[in-house]
Amino acid sequence: MTDTSTRFREFKMPDVGEGLTEAEILKWYVQPGDVVTDGQVVCEVETAKAAVELPIPYDGVVHELRFEEGTTVDVGTSIITIDVAPGNGDAPAAPVAQTSAAPVAPAVEEAEPKGRQPVLVGYGVAETSTKRRARKGTAAVLEQAAAAAAVQAEMNGHSGTATATAARPLAKPPVRKLAKDLGIDLATVTPTGPDGVITREDVHAAAAPATAPAPAAAPAPVVPQPVAEAPAPVAAGARETRIPIKGVRKATAAAMVGSAFTAPHVTEFITLDVTRTMKLVDELKADKDMAGLRVNPLLLIAKALLVAIKRNPQVNTAWDEANQEIVQKHYVNLGIAAATPRGLIVPNIKDAHDKTLPELAQALGELVATAREGKTTPAAMQGGTVTITNVGVFGVDTGTPILNPGESAILAVGAIKLQPWVHKGKVKPRQVTTLALSFDHRLVDGELGSKVLADVAAILEQPKRLITWA
């Protein structure tokens, strides 16, 4: 008789965002009866910060999905049961998935898998090969399990005959998908991230030598775009519709209220002629050193802000209420506000101050692409110091942006429009925009805030200052 305490494993909702208490199950990628392998993504969940794919840390067969899609589940609650020894006796019937996040009594107490390395969530592959008895009389399931294991081993950077003595390459699910799309074996990639984690930049660097000499680009893989949740049908004659506050919207609301009523905001405005900047954008698009990179006005605005911060480093600070200290940041993690189908998010470019213009362009492009795919990780939205919000893409002239919590300043960029402007003593049509800089008046006084905004404007009016001031 099989010991059910070792046969069935409960996978619990992990904390995927540093202290978050719940997550909503967006989509199941498996169903009861499906064969799964260690490290395979089984579902996608949305926290208050981002959508994250969860890999399962076991080999086996899905026995039960404990919650339906759309259910919000507390961290630590079992969400899926895996039969790790299928075929060893009759399994108890799997109950119907629950629709509420009430605590569920797990079939067994999950023991931490031994010999595995921590990845984003769950555990990596075991140090020794996983063996289990095949289900009696089910040759098809056995073949399916072998094929799935071979595919997963290839994705994890192992060959079919190699022993599992080498550690599994550490990378987050979006990075693994990128490597798969580019045909890159993660085991051959040199990691540069913290604790040996492979980043998107590492994968692109590994792919660059192989893709550079190619005479023609292969068709890009079709990536399904996240679709905003369709509103519930409205009954004829209904005067109101109530929408649950959850996920990114809930987190954004809490952050904006906290910021608006904690940091005393001051906003200053400046209208300027950016004709020379627009000409430089056109020239950079034709520059071979910028080939394949995303070049637009936002790139040069971001670079201008970084130069202004370098000239006025006191603006790059944070208020530590607990310790009653002002924290001077000697690095710039540049946040870029992005509107996504799930709501507003603000991922940031780590150490943007150290990046060259091509490196900044690449980072911006990847940030935008990841946000549109709905794959921005919680880590990418933490640790920001200063933010840019581009309201001009909606045709808006300017606004009074609210600070991202923990940051000292945010720059709003308005629409760039052809307007009459006095240039060299004559009224001429010029490319004109308006910038708005909001800052925390506890940290930044009027003089400092004005200097930062004036420096950004001066650079955009005369882009050569990117060289002379940098």
Side-chain angles (χ1 to χ4, degrees):
M1 179 180 293
T2 302
D3 184 358
T4 57
S5 65
T6 59
R7 176 176 173 180
F8 295 99
R9 290 291 185 89
E10 301 286 340
F11 180 61
K12 300 177 181 179
M13 177 70 74
D15 177 2
V16 296
E18 297 189 8
L20 296 176
T21 59
E22 63 184 18
E24 178 186 352
I25 298 175
L26 293 179
K27 184 177 182 180
W28 284 109
Y29 296 123
V30 295
Q31 295 297 324
D34 290 352
V35 176
V36 295
T37 57
D38 189 344
Q40 178 179 337
V41 173
V42 295
C43 69
E44 182 181 23
V45 302
E46 182 182 37
T47 70
K49 295 183 178 180
V52 179
E53 292 180 329
L54 301 184
I56 197 77
Y58 318 119
D59 288 339
V61 175
V62 177
H63 175 63
E64 175 191 357
L65 305 181
R66 290 190 175 271
F67 296 96
E68 295 179 350
E69 294 177 354
T71 306
T72 299
V73 182
D74 291 338
V75 169
T77 303
S78 175
I79 60 174
I80 184 173
T81 305
I82 302 297
D83 184 351
V84 296
N88 292 339
D90 295 330
V96 178
Q98 301 183 29
T99 59
S100 65
V104 179
V108 294
E109 188 65 31
E110 178 186 351
E112 179 176 324
K114 297 181 180 179
R116 294 189 174 109
Q117 296 188 4
V119 287
L120 175 63
V121 290
Y123 299 88
V125 293
E127 292 181 357
T128 55
S129 300
T130 302
K131 297 181 180 179
R132 70 178 188 273
R133 189 182 306 171
R135 179 177 294 181
K136 296 180 181 179
T138 54
V141 172
L142 181 60
E143 293 176 2
Q144 182 183 1
V151 172
Q152 189 63 36
E154 183 64 25
M155 291 176 62
N156 291 345
H158 302 301
S159 65
T161 58
T163 59
T165 56
R168 181 193 191 198
L170 298 181
K172 298 174 183 177
V175 178
R176 293 186 181 279
K177 183 179 184 304
L178 174 64
K180 181 181 178 182
D181 292 341
L182 296 178
I184 300 299
D185 184 353
L186 287 177
T188 65
V189 178
T190 302
T192 62
D195 302 321
V197 175
I198 297 173
T199 65
R200 295 176 67 92
E201 290 78 7
D202 298 334
V203 174
H204 281 297
T211 58
V222 178
V223 179
Q225 296 293 325
V227 179
E229 184 176 347
V234 180
R239 294 170 61 85
E240 294 181 350
T241 299
R242 291 182 174 267
I243 303 171
I245 301 172
K246 58 184 180 179
V248 175
R249 174 59 59 192
K250 182 177 180 179
T252 300
M256 293 299 96
V257 170
S259 176
F261 291 98
T262 300
H265 284 54
V266 173
T267 305
E268 295 185 343
F269 308 89
I270 189 168
T271 301
L272 61 148
D273 177 3
V274 293
T275 304
R276 291 186 177 91
T277 289
M278 298 304 291
K279 290 180 179 179
L280 179 56
V281 168
D282 292 337
E283 292 173 3
L284 289 174
K285 287 180 178 179
D287 193 316
K288 64 178 182 180
D289 291 331
M290 302 295 286
L293 298 176
R294 185 184 182 91
V295 179
N296 54 24
L298 180 61
L299 171 63
L300 295 184
I301 293 169
K303 193 65 175 178
L305 179 58
L306 293 171
V307 172
I309 293 172
K310 183 178 181 180
R311 286 168 54 85
N312 305 275
Q314 299 86 354
V315 75
N316 193 34
T317 53
W319 184 275
D320 187 341
E321 182 68 28
N323 296 313
Q324 286 296 289
E325 294 175 338
I326 293 176
V327 183
Q328 177 86 46
K329 305 291 181 67
H330 303 297
Y331 59 90
V332 181
N333 290 345
L334 182 62
I336 304 294
T340 73
R342 293 190 177 99
L344 177 70
I345 62 174
V346 189
N348 59 77
I349 300 171
K350 309 299 183 187
D351 295 324
H353 64 290
D354 280 339
K355 296 188 182 296
T356 63
L357 194 63
E359 291 171 343
L360 187 62
Q362 180 178 355
L364 272 172
E366 292 177 356
L367 180 148
V368 172
T370 302
R372 286 177 176 172
E373 293 170 7
K375 302 300 183 183
T376 303
T377 64
M381 293 184 283
Q382 296 168 357
T385 61
V386 176
T387 291
I388 295 176
T389 177
N390 186 9
V391 297
V393 296
F394 306 110
V396 175
D397 289 334
T398 189
T400 54
I402 297 177
L403 294 168
N404 206 29
E407 299 182 10
S408 60
I410 178 171
L411 180 70
V413 181
I416 299 174
K417 300 178 179 179
L418 195 64
Q419 296 183 16
W421 192 265
V422 177
H423 177 68
K424 296 181 180 180
K426 296 182 179 180
V427 177
K428 297 182 178 181
R430 305 286 288 181
Q431 298 283 352
V432 177
T433 190
T434 299
L435 304 178
L437 182 71
S438 292
F439 50 86
D440 185 342
H441 215 350
R442 297 174 301 176
L443 297 164
V444 182
D445 58 26
E447 179 186 9
L448 177 58
S450 299
K451 285 182 177 180
V452 172
L453 184 57
D455 280 356
V456 174
I459 293 170
L460 296 177
E461 287 182 330
Q462 296 285 348
K464 66 182 180 182
R465 292 191 173 109
L466 286 172
I467 301 173
T468 57
W469 285 2

